[in-house]
Amino acid sequence: MLAGLAPLIVLACLLSGLVAAAWQTRRWLQGAPARVARLQGLIAMPGRYLVDVHQVVARRPRNARFHALAAGGLLASLALWCVLAVPPLRYRPLWGVLALVLALMLMGAISVWRRRQVDRPVELSGGGFDRLPLALLLYAGGFLVLALAELFTGPAATLFSSLGLIVGTFGLAGIISLAIGGPLKHAINGMLHLAFHPRPARFVGGKRDTGLVPLDLASARLGVERPVDFAWNRLLGFDACVQCGRCEQVCPAYAAEQPLNPKKFIQDLAMALAPGASDDAYAGHGHPGQALGSAHGGPGEPLIGAMISDATLWSCTTCRACVHECPMMIEHVDAMVDLRRFQTLELAALPGKAALVLEDLRLTDTLSGRGPGARLDWAVDLRIPLMREVMEAPVLLWLGEAAFDLRAQRTLRALVRLLRQAGVVFATLGPEELDCGDTARRLGDEATFQDLAGRNIATLSRYRFDRIVTADPHSLHVLKNEYPAFGGGYEVVHHTTFLAGLIERGVFGPLSPDGRKVTYHDPCYLGRYNGETAAPRALLDALGLERVEMERSGLRSQCCGGGGGATLTDIPGKRRIPDIRMAQATETGAAVIAVACPTCTVMLEGVTGKRPEVLDVAELLWQAVERGGIAAARSGMPA
Amino acid sequence: MTGLAIVVLLSLGRHPATGRPRRNPDDARALATALALAATRSGSRVLAVHAGDPRAPVLRDYLGQGLDELTVLDMPSGSDPLPSLREHLVALSPDLLLTGQRAENGEASGLLPYLLAEALGMTLVPGVVGLDLQGDQGRFTQALPRGRRRQIEARLPLAATIPAGTAGLPLPSFAAARRGRIVSLPALASPDPHLVAIERQPWRQLPRPQPRRLKGSAIDRLKSMTGGGEAKGRLLVDPDPETAAAQILDRLGEIGLIRASHQSVTSRDTDGRTER
Amino acid sequence: MSRPRLDPRALRLARQVEGGGKRPRFALKADPPALHSRRRDPRLLRMRALVPGARRPRYDWKRDAASGAPSAVPAVDPVPANEPIRVESPAFWVLAVLDQSTGALDETDLQLLSVARRLAGDEGGVVALALADPVLATAGADRLAVWPASAVDPAAAEARAATVQALVESVKPRHVLCSDDPVAGGDIARRLAAKAGLRLVSAVNSLTADGRIGRRAGDETWLQPAPALMTIMPGSFAADEQALREARPLELPPIAFEAARLANIGLLPVDPESLPLDETDFIASAGNGVTDFAAFAEAAAALGATRAGSRVVCDAGLLPRDRQVGASGTVVTARCYLALGIAGAPQHLQGITGVRHVIAVNTDLHAEMIKRADLSIIADAQAVMPALARLARQRQEKP
Ligand SMILES: Cc1cc2nc3c(=O)[nH]c(=O)nc-3n(C[C@H](O)[C@H](O)[C@H](O)COP(=O)(O)OP(=O)(O)OC[C@H]3O[C@@H](n4cnc5c(N)ncnc54)[C@H](O)[C@@H]3O)c2cc1C
Ligand code: SF4
Ligand code: SF4
């Protein structure tokens, strides 16, 4: 007898929920205009959800299961209600199907409840989230009783049916209230964010889209000062955050107790979408060392200094660990850089040595302040050919800032010798090579970056080469992924990839096995930014090293603390990021920590005390080649 | 308090490693000081002046420090800026003239502020790292070598030369550099006759100077007596703490770093009041 | 180290006393501190020699002031007496305006006098305008003009400039030399140049064989005949050994000087601890090898050194961040760096490239810092620091 009423009540609730949700959109619609292929996005959305979001969520199978049950159950039940609302379609067996769906959802809801109440992970937020399991339980439980009762007749059935209706409606009302400004808004915002995502290329068949978006230096306001300066689809992303805390768990700055919690950072941005915002209601971990309740702001008010401290902004190493883990596909690093751009370009407010170094970079085209003329000073004896002399070469060796660092020069030396050994014909730009602009860009100095990029591209266009090889993943990333926007398009290969290719071709001949135990530290800009995790490992395996993995490795590796200009802004924490990473390496019992980036090398070598030796992959290979005997290597060389 | 007319002179610097034009760090500091001072006294104006080429891109960097307008007395490089500057400044009759302590290009004798102060009848205070104005009375903190600080009082109108100091310079803001205006005024260009008489050679690092010894001096005799070579590179393995400490103190004495009661002497005798 | 070392300047002074070139106001300490330096050290010289009328009552003056009598008892074997060189009417004069910015002759002043001497050659004579200091006779001065009372204060720049101007007008020197210090000699030179309409050539850093002077201008060296007025770049010239001269007092002409417009309020008290690291002259720096930070503070205080540390120490919060020396900390230019328990990582050494003297205390013979140091002590810093503090205080009390 309640068979007609129940679906209508549900639909009415749902409808009011939808109206409220539509009203909610004004939170993020106040953002700046963005060019979005809306229709395409909407069409692609289910695919993005099922493939890309699933890939992230599936890294934690338990969470994936309860989410599938609870969310899937809720969605399926709502669909069934729609069918049941049409009297001619109201077949009795449908109640059975509904009961089944709700039973599954109930299982999910129980998992949610267990996760919230029984074995609660520390990274979860409280507040509205803690009311979520109850709402889900009431909805699933109540309507399950109703649906089962609908399969029967008689006074008892009617009694259960109405009881179920009341309980279920309470649950539904709870769910809807939590969907408006509460935790469940992620369902709506998350879907829309997937559809209108600012980086749609992320979802295209295994591609990585990690390059920063160029800033129009002629625009009236450079970078983001206030929430409304973000594009609307960025705001939509922030508003979609479920406060799952996965980003918090992996953030190296957070681990070192620097004042940055990426979850809180995204929440700060989302909370600031309401006028008179404060972080009073936030019920998760804050930024380490900063008390909750002092942040304040609004959509049209400056973010840095009021809602977010500058120390928070400058703690980020741009390692993308948070982005890689975020099930809502939020782009934390883009937001960081947008905010930094305003601080740097408009206010010129940078902490630590960053201002000094950027000034030097502007005046000398090198971070070290020594000028490109000194880039080859370390290699006078190596007589590396210059592009401006040879005009063309199959391989252009990009040296990067490593050329100015005593430690990193050892790596470059090994690399040059290996290339010579393998008979690779290569040349460098030498004094014509300017800094690639990576650090400047990540510190928000887009003007200097674009200037350097433009001039480097002009230089490169004068020469003919097949590919650029570099030992610096930061240069690799910028040249490969960020220069195309300014007219440069090159095949850029990391030295580990290139050397692994040479080994595969047997160029180096038999390598004398090295029995040491080694662990490999993935540089963020090689792994997460460029997806290369296999080649360096293949290379190490070819050397006969006993390879062990750290707790975090590959795409989920932990940052060394050296990216994004973090060594220059130098925001203090309770610990240091490289110490944490080194502890993870030491735990494996490895004698050597193999690295593939000059910044990682410097950061990890700076760790004091007993620790594995830090050696670049190229250095390890050169050691093996030297040991294996140059003669042997020669005999293995193709004629 | 009435507003101040603060004139700042800005020149082109030169990056030590690459020789590229840059803000002169002293001038940039002077400008920062002027802007900060103007902000504390309502009605104050900062009048920034450069004598040279108005198209020099580096001038934008000064604007990037938050300067709205920069006046350029347009003249070819190598001309003597004094006549035009003097004329321009006399017309402005500033209360305060702030300049860097030293130019990084050309003659770089640091004389210009003195000549202008003389022409404008201003009292000049060199090496100013802090200034506090009460009415027309100024209290200046001067930086002396080795971190010492002296306080000087003087009345407006004043000229002060400002060293770059050791704290980092304010980074120019790209946006402010874009916003600021450069106003170019035609100026008299008189070539500097003095500079012609100079022979120019490429610079190279000079070896560390060695003192000339008198022949057969006591030093030589002493050396042979003590049989010592250079004391550099001395190594003591596992000495007892007293010996180690004595060695360190002796070396500090040689360097001239420890004297009796390090601190009190420093602040006393530089006061310069001797009992003689 | 128990054998008393002979100091050549002490020897020369002994000669001076015996030669009777000046009033016998010198006392040689019977037992000069056992230093093994053969370097020319003005402070040491002063310490050994200067007694009566000294502005620094620490040294030995009690004995002599109390006696009020010459007590020149040379402790060392007397070297044959040596008459000072006398110059009556030289072909020209060179005027050296000295800063004596610590109240006594220092390295910069001696360098300035050396340049003056070189410019004077055999024909010329050197007039020093200075605070009276007996050492001047051994530093190359033929004449000594003493600052008048109004210009004794180093901050009395206007009076000093007027004094120099008056002296220039009466002596008519061919060259006037000032230090390059922008708040001392350099200031005086510029005031003089502006007042007298002289061309100033600043930061002179070389002297060619043919008597021209050179200085750096960007990536060029500019050479020209020695001008009338110049400032001398500190550290570009060495303080030469000089034969004994007269330093005969020279009367100052009357000085035309209006009222001073600059009033010296005085020095701000300097606490070595509050000095920015890149301005301080003497740093005691702790690394991971230091565990006893109370002893470290005590030793630094006793030595009058500014405290600093390696990154490890600052990271651990044992010293504030602005006390960190190195690539990501402060690059220091102190004259002496006392490194206690610091390994000498490249990033750390980058911060002390400009330091002249490094003293290292480390338990590890192979530490990089040991290679960088000119005095290395392989010992436990925890043991050395208290001994250092104790001994430094002891020596202060009874020098
Ligand atoms: C990007 C980057 C920037 C850096 N910047 C800086 C910087 O600016 N400044 C800086 O200092 N570091 C910097 N570092 C860190 C640097 O690499 C070293 O880790 C650090 O300098 C080591 O400090 P330490 O010598 O005090 O410690 P350790 O390396 O632990 O050395 C301690 C030394 O003390 C000795 N020792 C131990 N016990 C005793 C004892 N009882 N008595 C005497 N000696 C003892 C040991 O033999 C050892 O030589 C940086 C690192 C990176 C990655
Ligand atoms: S930003 Fe992403 S990963 Fe971080 S809490 Fe929000 S949803 Fe989770
Ligand atoms: S990019 Fe790395 S450092 Fe920055 S917030 Fe994300 S996890 Fe933290």
Side-chain angles (χ1 to χ4, degrees):
Chain A
M1 61 154 287
L2 293 167
L5 197 53
L8 289 181
I9 290 178
V10 171
L11 282 188
C13 285
L14 210 58
L15 213 66
S16 54
L18 277 179
V19 170
W23 179 238
Q24 282 295 302
T25 60
R26 77 194 189 325
R27 274 169 67 81
W28 42 268
L29 280 177
Q30 54 190 335
R35 259 205 299 212
V36 180
R38 289 169 214 225
L39 191 64
Q40 264 167 298
L42 283 170
I43 294 166
M45 188 255 282
R48 291 174 184 175
Y49 180 76
L50 292 174
V51 178
D52 300 275
V53 175
H54 180 75
Q55 270 172 8
V56 176
V57 179
R59 286 180 211 142
R60 297 168 197 228
R62 226 188 98 195
N63 291 12
R65 222 172 306 129
F66 84 68
H67 190 265
L69 288 175
L74 180 63
L75 286 177
S77 65
L78 291 177
L80 283 169
W81 285 123
C82 294
V83 177
L84 287 167
V86 188
L89 297 179
R90 206 176 290 148
Y91 301 114
R92 177 159 287 197
L94 272 186
W95 291 106
V97 178
L98 181 64
L100 188 67
V101 163
L102 287 172
L104 289 173
M105 181 182 165
L106 189 63
M107 283 164 62
I110 289 169
S111 302
V112 173
W113 173 80
R114 280 186 58 86
R115 180 155 171 277
R116 292 267 155 201
Q117 309 294 341
V118 185
D119 48 349
R120 180 192 175 99
V122 289
E123 71 272 13
L124 289 183
S125 288
F129 285 92
D130 286 345
R131 296 199 299 277
L132 181 62
L134 183 66
L136 292 176
L137 285 172
L138 290 181
Y139 171 85
F143 286 127
L144 175 62
V145 170
L146 176 135
L148 288 174
E150 285 304 323
L151 293 173
F152 302 94
T153 43
T158 314
L159 182 68
F160 277 113
S161 178
S162 30
L163 222 86
L165 181 65
I166 291 164
V167 172
T169 308
F170 263 112
L172 182 63
I175 287 174
I176 284 168
S177 83
L178 289 175
I180 299 162
L184 281 180
K185 73 175 180 213
H186 84 271
I188 301 161
N189 287 348
M191 287 299 158
L192 294 174
H193 182 232
L194 271 187
F196 307 141
H197 198 279
R199 285 182 179 274
R202 242 187 103 152
F203 306 106
V204 182
K207 253 181 74 177
R208 317 192 71 77
D209 182 22
T210 53
L212 290 174
V213 183
L215 174 70
D216 177 7
L217 289 174
S219 53
R221 190 195 306 266
L222 300 167
V224 168
E225 181 187 23
R226 312 158 300 169
V228 291
D229 300 331
F230 277 112
W232 63 264
N233 55 348
R234 301 254 173 209
L235 295 182
L236 170 59
F238 308 146
D239 213 21
C241 167
V242 272
Q243 303 191 40
C244 65
R246 292 174 181 222
C247 52
E248 169 184 319
Q249 273 188 306
V250 295
C251 175
Y254 183 78
E257 294 187 57
Q258 287 172 258
L260 165 62
N261 176 349
K263 171 170 101 170
K264 172 72 176 9
F265 170 71
I266 295 298
Q267 278 307 305
D268 286 336
L269 295 173
M271 287 183 290
L273 293 177
S278 92
D279 62 351
D280 281 337
Y282 174 75
H285 291 155
H287 301 301
Q290 292 177 4
L292 290 177
S294 55
H296 55 91
E301 284 166 51
L303 281 161
I304 301 301
M307 201 69 202
I308 298 168
S309 80
D310 57 343
T312 298
L313 182 65
W314 298 109
S315 290
C316 175
T317 70
T318 67
C319 72
R320 278 186 82 85
C322 49
V323 183
H324 187 71
E325 293 301 320
C326 180
M328 306 310 293
M329 306 278 146
I330 296 167
E331 294 279 348
H332 309 62
V333 177
D334 287 351
M336 290 282 181
V337 173
D338 277 342
L339 287 164
R340 286 182 178 190
R341 283 172 173 172
F342 185 84
Q343 296 299 307
T344 300
L345 295 173
E346 293 274 355
L347 306 180
L350 293 101
K353 295 208 134 174
L356 231 70
V357 171
L358 284 184
E359 176 91 344
D360 255 342
L361 178 61
R362 295 170 65 241
L363 295 169
T364 67
D365 299 326
T366 53
L367 290 168
S368 62
R370 308 230 335 249
R375 193 175 301 275
L376 276 176
D377 282 5
W378 58 280
V380 183
D381 58 323
L382 292 177
R383 302 187 176 283
I384 305 176
L386 294 182
M387 264 301 180
R388 69 173 170 216
E389 285 158 6
V390 298
M391 294 313 283
E392 76 181 275
V395 167
L396 189 152
L397 182 64
W398 187 273
L399 297 167
E401 191 62 24
F404 296 103
D405 181 82
L406 281 173
R407 172 62 185 86
Q409 285 164 6
R410 297 216 304 265
T411 304
L412 288 178
R413 208 162 259 282
L415 177 58
V416 167
R417 291 197 170 125
L418 286 168
L419 294 178
R420 288 251 159 90
Q421 183 76 43
V424 175
V425 177
F426 65 97
T428 74
L429 292 178
E432 287 187 293
E433 178 189 319
L434 314 178
D435 185 80
C436 66
D438 165 70
T439 304
R441 193 169 218 202
R442 268 116 302 248
L443 285 173
D445 191 349
E446 183 75 2
T448 301
F449 168 76
Q450 291 192 9
D451 172 51
L452 290 168
R455 287 189 288 142
N456 273 327
I457 290 168
T459 306
L460 287 169
S461 71
R462 289 202 293 275
Y463 305 120
R464 285 182 46 199
F465 50 89
D466 298 332
R467 60 180 62 81
I468 298 175
V469 173
T470 179
D472 184 348
H474 297 264
S475 301
L476 169 92
H477 169 66
V478 169
L479 290 168
K480 181 177 161 193
N481 304 321
E482 298 191 345
Y483 277 18
F486 302 94
Y490 317 104
E491 183 188 338
V492 193
V493 185
H494 192 241
H495 73 306
T496 55
T497 317
F498 191 74
L499 292 174
L502 291 177
I503 289 187
E504 210 166 281
R505 289 189 0 231
V507 171
F508 295 112
L511 296 163
S512 127
D514 183 337
R516 281 179 293 180
K517 196 162 162 185
V518 65
T519 185
Y520 172 68
H521 164 78
D522 290 270
C524 307
Y525 276 73
L526 187 61
R528 271 189 296 278
Y529 273 82
N530 284 288
E532 177 65 282
T533 56
R537 287 184 168 75
L539 204 152
L540 293 174
D541 293 346
L543 294 183
L545 290 153
E546 179 193 348
R547 184 162 57 80
V548 282
E549 290 294 351
M550 284 182 260
E551 179 193 321
R552 290 177 54 186
S553 65
L555 295 179
R556 304 182 80 183
S557 166
Q558 194 210 286
C559 177
C560 70
T567 55
L568 303 176
T569 54
D570 199 22
I571 304 296
K574 288 240 173 73
R575 266 162 293 166
R576 293 204 326 120
I577 297 172
D579 292 349
I580 299 173
R581 185 58 173 163
M582 189 54 92
Q584 294 167 3
T586 310
E587 222 167 71
T588 63
V592 174
I593 172 164
V595 287
C597 165
T599 310
C600 300
T601 314
V602 170
M603 294 306 289
L604 294 173
E605 280 226 317
V607 176
T608 57
K610 228 178 108 51
R611 56 157 170 79
E613 194 182 353
V614 181
L615 287 171
D616 191 276
V617 174
E619 290 179 291
L620 284 165
L621 178 56
W622 175 247
Q623 285 177 2
V625 169
E626 256 190 334
R627 255 197 325 270
I630 290 163
R634 275 221 186 94
S635 67
M637 239 166 75
Chain B
M1 270 195 295
T2 50
L4 295 168
I6 310 170
V7 168
V8 195
L9 299 187
L10 303 175
S11 65
L12 298 193
R14 179 182 182 285
H15 193 277
T18 58
R20 273 204 237 156
R22 65 163 175 182
R23 286 180 295 166
N24 175 322
D26 292 18
D27 294 352
R29 175 70 60 208
L31 176 58
T33 309
L35 291 170
L37 188 66
T40 61
R41 263 207 176 176
S42 63
S44 296
R45 290 170 304 153
V46 174
L47 307 154
V49 185
H50 167 68
D53 181 0
R55 286 166 301 272
V58 180
L59 297 178
R60 291 259 151 223
D61 284 0
Y62 285 119
L63 295 174
Q65 282 182 248
L67 184 65
D68 300 327
E69 187 179 293
L70 169 59
T71 305
V72 179
L73 307 179
D74 189 353
M75 60 179 73
S77 76
S79 0
D80 182 1
L82 181 68
S84 314
L85 277 175
R86 187 166 42 205
E87 191 186 336
H88 187 71
L89 294 201
V90 166
L92 293 174
S93 80
D95 302 301
L96 202 55
L97 170 66
L98 298 184
T99 68
Q101 199 160 266
R102 219 185 270 277
E104 287 189 309
N105 275 309
E107 181 79 346
S109 66
L111 197 54
L112 192 70
Y114 287 80
L115 293 169
L116 289 171
E118 189 74 26
L120 295 166
M122 292 175 141
T123 310
L124 187 139
V125 194
V128 171
V129 289
L131 97 193
D132 179 22
L133 283 182
Q134 301 292 335
D136 70 342
Q137 182 78 21
R139 180 175 277 215
F140 297 84
T141 308
Q142 264 184 337
L144 306 183
R146 294 184 202 155
R148 288 166 307 139
R149 297 279 185 268
R150 180 160 60 206
Q151 291 212 305
I152 298 273
E153 269 184 359
R155 278 184 190 288
L156 294 177
L158 279 161
T161 69
I162 298 193
T166 46
L169 278 183
L171 192 74
S173 136
F174 178 81
R178 209 172 46 163
R179 275 193 299 270
R181 279 184 315 280
I182 290 179
V183 179
S184 165
L185 299 177
L188 231 81
S190 41
D192 192 336
H194 178 79
L195 293 181
V196 183
I198 290 172
E199 182 193 331
R200 292 152 194 243
Q201 291 181 350
W203 179 81
R204 67 195 153 74
Q205 183 74 50
L206 298 165
R208 177 170 286 201
Q210 292 300 322
R212 297 182 183 183
R213 304 260 190 235
L214 293 177
K215 272 207 206 83
S217 74
I219 290 204
D220 295 333
R221 272 177 278 136
L222 200 69
K223 246 191 186 164
S224 57
M225 270 163 62
T226 52
E230 274 290 295
K232 200 170 159 63
R234 225 187 128 83
L235 178 75
L236 264 80
V237 180
D238 219 4
D240 65 80
E242 297 298 324
T243 316
Q247 281 283 331
I248 295 174
L249 287 174
D250 288 350
R251 174 56 62 90
L252 292 174
E254 281 169 49
I255 301 169
L257 275 168
I258 44 164
R259 293 161 286 174
S261 172
H262 185 84
Q263 231 176 295
S264 57
V265 172
T266 316
S267 38
R268 246 181 63 91
D269 58 11
T270 32
D271 236 296
R273 284 177 247 282
T274 50
E275 301 87 4
R276 274 184 205 203
Chain C
M1 277 287 83
S2 55
R3 182 161 46 119
R5 298 296 169 100
L6 305 187
D7 185 90
R9 280 144 302 186
L11 294 179
R12 271 206 307 290
L13 274 174
R15 290 188 306 233
Q16 181 177 358
V17 171
E18 290 180 351
K22 279 208 113 216
R23 276 173 299 154
R25 291 175 55 146
F26 306 96
L28 288 172
K29 265 185 57 173
D31 182 15
L35 295 170
H36 54 267
S37 164
R38 264 107 26 224
R39 237 171 36 83
R40 204 187 159 82
D41 186 333
R43 281 202 183 74
L44 193 62
L45 185 55
R46 237 188 313 122
M47 193 161 90
R48 305 251 169 100
L50 185 64
V51 176
R55 297 172 311 288
R56 355 183 76 256
R58 310 285 164 188
Y59 307 119
D60 200 8
W61 75 293
K62 227 183 249 157
R63 184 166 33 163
D64 284 85
S67 70
S71 64
V73 186
V76 289
D77 193 84
V79 176
N82 195 350
E83 276 296 302
I85 298 170
R86 290 173 205 284
V87 174
E88 285 310 327
S89 46
F92 61 92
W93 288 108
V94 178
L95 173 58
V97 181
L98 304 188
D99 285 350
Q100 290 156 301
S101 59
T102 55
L105 279 184
D106 65 14
E107 192 73 18
T108 325
D109 300 311
L110 293 175
Q111 289 168 7
L112 190 80
L113 280 165
S114 293
V115 182
R117 231 5 310 156
R118 289 197 203 179
L119 284 170
D122 292 334
E123 271 115 72
V126 170
V127 182
L129 176 55
L131 300 170
D133 191 324
V135 178
L136 282 164
T138 65
D142 297 302
R143 300 286 185 277
L144 168 62
V146 178
W147 292 110
S150 62
V152 162
D153 181 352
E158 297 154 306
R160 286 199 163 198
T163 307
V164 180
Q165 196 175 359
L167 198 58
V168 167
E169 276 156 18
S170 73
V171 176
K172 304 207 168 18
R174 184 180 285 177
H175 309 294
V176 180
L177 276 59
C178 293
S179 85
D180 199 57
D181 182 346
V183 291
D187 182 37
I188 296 168
R190 292 182 179 98
R191 284 178 198 274
L192 177 65
K195 274 253 176 335
L198 285 171
R199 187 96 197 182
L200 168 70
V201 175
S202 68
V204 169
N205 66 5
S206 59
L207 207 55
T208 61
D210 60 356
R212 289 187 301 166
I213 58 103
R215 63 204 153 113
R216 185 178 181 181
D219 50 7
E220 290 177 338
T221 297
W222 287 6
L223 291 167
Q224 66 189 100
L229 177 59
M230 59 189 121
T231 67
I232 305 298
M233 191 77 169
S236 302
F237 297 92
D240 297 333
E241 271 188 79
Q242 306 291 353
L244 185 64
R245 298 197 171 249
E246 274 184 292
R248 190 194 300 169
L250 184 75
E251 277 300 310
L252 277 177
I255 296 159
F257 174 59
E258 325 98 60
R261 290 185 292 180
L262 298 176
N264 185 8
I265 306 300
L267 285 179
L268 292 173
V270 231
D271 170 11
E273 281 296 288
S274 67
L275 280 180
L277 277 188
D278 40 11
E279 278 191 52
T280 170
D281 211 27
F282 178 21
I283 296 175
S285 191
N288 212 6
V290 170
T291 48
D292 184 351
F293 275 81
F296 170 61
E298 167 59 19
L303 295 171
T306 306
R307 273 186 299 165
S310 74
R311 173 151 198 171
V312 181
V313 165
C314 297
D315 278 350
L318 294 162
L319 286 174
R321 178 67 73 186
D322 66 352
R323 299 285 113 180
Q324 179 184 319
V325 171
S328 51
T330 309
V331 175
V332 301
T333 52
R335 248 189 311 161
C336 179
Y337 189 75
L338 172 58
L340 298 156
I342 301 181
Q347 294 91 1
H348 189 85
L349 291 182
Q350 267 174 45
I352 59 167
T353 43
V355 174
R356 186 119 160 236
H357 304 280
V358 175
I359 303 177
V361 179
N362 200 306
T363 44
D364 177 6
L365 182 57
H366 302 290
E368 287 299 318
M369 188 59 87
I370 297 292
K371 292 181 198 144
R372 170 70 172 79
D374 34 88
L375 172 62
S376 307
I377 294 181
I378 309 302
D380 183 352
Q382 271 52 246
V384 173
M385 292 185 303
L388 198 53
R390 203 166 45 244
L391 209 61
R393 297 249 188 247
Q394 253 173 36
R395 288 196 183 179
Q396 252 162 51
E397 275 151 26
K398 33 179 166 42

